[in-house]
Amino acid sequence: MRTTVGIIGAGPAGLLLARLLTNAGIDSVVLESRDRAYVEQRQRAGILEQGTVDVLRAAGAGERMDREGLRHDGMELRYDRTRHRVDFPALTGGRSVMVYAQTEVCKDLIALQLKDGGPLLFEAEALAVEDADSDRPRIRFRHEGREDVLECDYVVGCDGFWGVARKTIPAELSRTFERTYPFAWLGILADVPPSHDELVYARHDRGFALLSMRSPSVSRLYLQVPGGTAPEAWSDDEIWAELERRFETDDDWRLDRGPITQKSVTPMRSYVHEPMRHGRLFLAGDAAHIVPPTGAKGLNLAVGDVVTFARALTYEKETGSAELLDAYSVTCLRRVWQAERFSYDMTTLLHRAPDATPFEDRLQLARLARITSSRAAETELAEAYTGFPVD
């Protein structure tokens, strides 16, 4: 089997890249180790930046998103029982975000790929990337019980942190930067309409809490818990009681309870691998970088990576110049590190470390007071949250 671009992984990054390449007249093959049902059901991020929304629309994948997604023109910060709304359009020249789950993005892109894109092979496990530093790299993979080889001009690894793509880059050429946080998020899905029409980020002495949603009838909520916590360690009543405590305000706002249909725990870490390219192998998304979910950057960073690659390959096709491909890693990493900075800032602003001192508590409150009293500081948050431009 031969193609121009071999894509490992059918998450939103790999699927969107395949769509962008199809629209540019460039052929590709997508290899996904899981089955279609798994890809369309795994719960991940749900906040799309303005730039991601624009890219999906331009790629022809925005129809259902625009119909069913929830546009958010702001978010709410809570601390010391007070509430402050951050108005995104007023601070950013009109930008907003969209609440639309990654599962739905994947469903839309899978449908488009199967309709008029290149091959999309489910249950096709990539075993190795070979000859990445040559002009004929290949992916060795297993599909339908037998091994096969996909010969490519380029390989893009969208196969996540545990995939084979990043492992192909020689250790002596790699640098990694990482931070593990001493807490995690206990997340729930609940069959109850959201208690607020925009996301609520709450800083509390007992820990962080986030009110989000998946639809007008399904709430998505999170609690900061110690690292290593098991989801079953918290009963439904304990979760609701703790959420009520952390969201409590001095006005008459109340949190509505409902049946919890899913519980999960998300560890918190920051990670960057440099470089994001080796020969004709390019890394995208979680294969190259991970952010704590506080800044809602993970999926959006992956979109930025594949847009950068598709643009660079299209430029080479049209001009014969590999200039943009050669700059891929440097270009992506500028955006990655800004997102890492913002995600770290949001995480340390809103979460209480297990060993936090009264001095550090006061600093958090001072940082929040600065944001809620300074248009310049509030604008910085709004601009970062709604999205960094793709260079």
Side-chain angles (χ1 to χ4, degrees):
M1 186 183 298
R2 173 154 186 82
T3 191
T4 301
V5 181
I7 301 171
I8 308 175
L15 291 167
L16 177 59
L17 176 58
R19 180 65 181 175
L20 295 173
L21 294 176
T22 295
N23 290 347
I26 300 170
D27 61 292
S28 68
V29 174
V30 182
L31 305 176
E32 168 55 48
S33 63
R34 303 283 192 161
D35 61 28
R36 179 177 179 178
Y38 179 89
V39 174
E40 293 186 339
Q41 291 171 9
R42 56 186 167 192
Q43 292 292 328
R44 293 291 189 273
I47 305 297
L48 308 183
E49 295 175 354
Q50 182 69 64
T52 297
V53 170
D54 294 342
V55 166
L56 290 171
R57 287 173 178 156
E63 181 181 351
R64 193 164 70 92
M65 174 189 69
D66 284 331
R67 187 172 66 249
E68 300 179 12
L70 306 174
R71 171 178 163 146
H72 280 200
D73 286 335
M75 59 181 265
E76 185 172 287
L77 294 174
R78 292 191 186 181
Y79 65 101
D80 265 1
R81 302 172 62 92
T82 64
R83 306 168 63 180
H84 177 83
R85 182 175 185 268
V86 179
D87 186 329
F88 294 153
L91 295 163
T92 64
R95 298 212 305 268
S96 62
V97 297
M98 181 81 75
V99 176
Y100 191 63
Q102 175 177 311
T103 50
E104 306 310 312
V105 173
C106 287
K107 288 175 187 176
D108 296 341
L109 290 169
I110 286 171
L112 288 170
Q113 185 71 8
L114 295 178
K115 178 183 176 184
D116 55 21
L120 167 54
L121 304 182
F122 291 103
E123 299 180 86
E125 180 187 5
L127 303 174
V129 178
E130 299 174 340
D131 295 334
D133 54 355
S134 75
D135 60 359
R136 285 294 181 91
R138 59 184 180 269
I139 306 168
R140 191 158 43 82
F141 68 100
R142 183 184 295 112
H143 184 236
E144 296 181 341
R146 63 183 180 86
E147 284 196 20
D148 205 342
V149 173
L150 176 61
E151 297 180 345
C152 323
D153 294 331
Y154 303 93
V155 176
V156 182
C158 305
D159 51 344
F161 183 79
W162 301 107
V164 301
R166 189 181 67 257
K167 299 172 185 175
T168 302
I169 301 179
E172 62 270 19
L173 301 179
S174 300
R175 295 186 69 195
T176 59
F177 306 84
E178 136 176 62
R179 180 185 181 90
T180 301
Y181 299 88
F183 40 74
W185 278 11
L186 171 62
I188 64 168
L189 280 175
D191 286 338
V192 59
S195 299
H196 194 63
D197 56 3
E198 293 177 337
L199 271 69
V200 177
Y201 285 76
R203 186 269 177 201
H204 193 279
D205 286 342
R206 297 176 63 90
F208 169 74
L210 172 63
L211 185 156
S212 183
M213 63 280 296
R214 283 292 177 263
S215 74
S217 61
V218 177
S219 292
R220 181 74 159 154
L221 301 111
Y222 298 92
L223 282 173
Q224 176 188 342
V225 295
T229 296
E232 58 272 16
W234 287 70
S235 71
D236 291 7
D237 285 342
E238 288 173 331
I239 290 171
W240 285 118
E242 190 62 25
L243 285 167
E244 288 170 349
R245 277 191 286 266
R246 297 190 192 182
F247 286 125
E248 193 171 23
T249 61
D250 283 332
D251 59 17
D252 59 358
W253 183 90
R254 294 292 178 269
L255 179 68
D256 292 328
R257 297 188 178 198
I260 294 176
T261 59
Q262 185 183 105
K263 298 178 188 176
S264 61
V265 171
T266 302
M268 305 282 283
R269 62 191 302 234
S270 302
Y271 175 89
V272 180
H273 180 281
E274 296 184 4
M276 290 176 59
R277 176 195 178 181
H278 173 60
R280 293 205 170 194
L281 167 66
F282 298 76
L283 303 181
D286 286 359
H289 42 73
I290 293 172
V291 290
T294 326
K297 293 296 169 200
L299 182 155
N300 297 290
L301 270 184
V303 169
D305 294 342
V306 298
V307 167
T308 300
F309 176 81
R311 183 182 296 163
L313 190 57
T314 301
Y315 183 78
E316 184 193 48
K317 177 187 174 185
E318 293 175 347
T319 69
S321 171
E323 177 185 0
L324 297 186
L325 284 171
D326 291 341
Y328 172 81
S329 184
V330 171
T331 300
C332 288
L333 284 168
R334 280 198 298 267
R335 189 171 187 268
V336 167
W337 277 111
Q338 286 301 317
E340 292 283 355
R341 174 198 60 80
F342 175 68
S343 299
Y344 173 82
D345 286 349
M346 288 286 283
T347 300
T348 58
L349 172 70
L350 295 163
H351 294 73
R352 192 172 192 277
D355 58 351
T357 65
F359 178 81
E360 290 164 324
D361 289 338
R362 285 292 191 270
L363 282 183
Q364 279 187 323
L365 295 174
R367 291 168 64 190
L368 284 160
R370 172 66 177 169
I371 291 169
T372 58
S373 63
S374 163
R375 186 174 180 86
E378 191 179 22
T379 298
E380 162 64 17
L381 187 154
E383 288 181 342
Y385 195 88
T386 56
F388 301 106
V390 179
D391 295 332

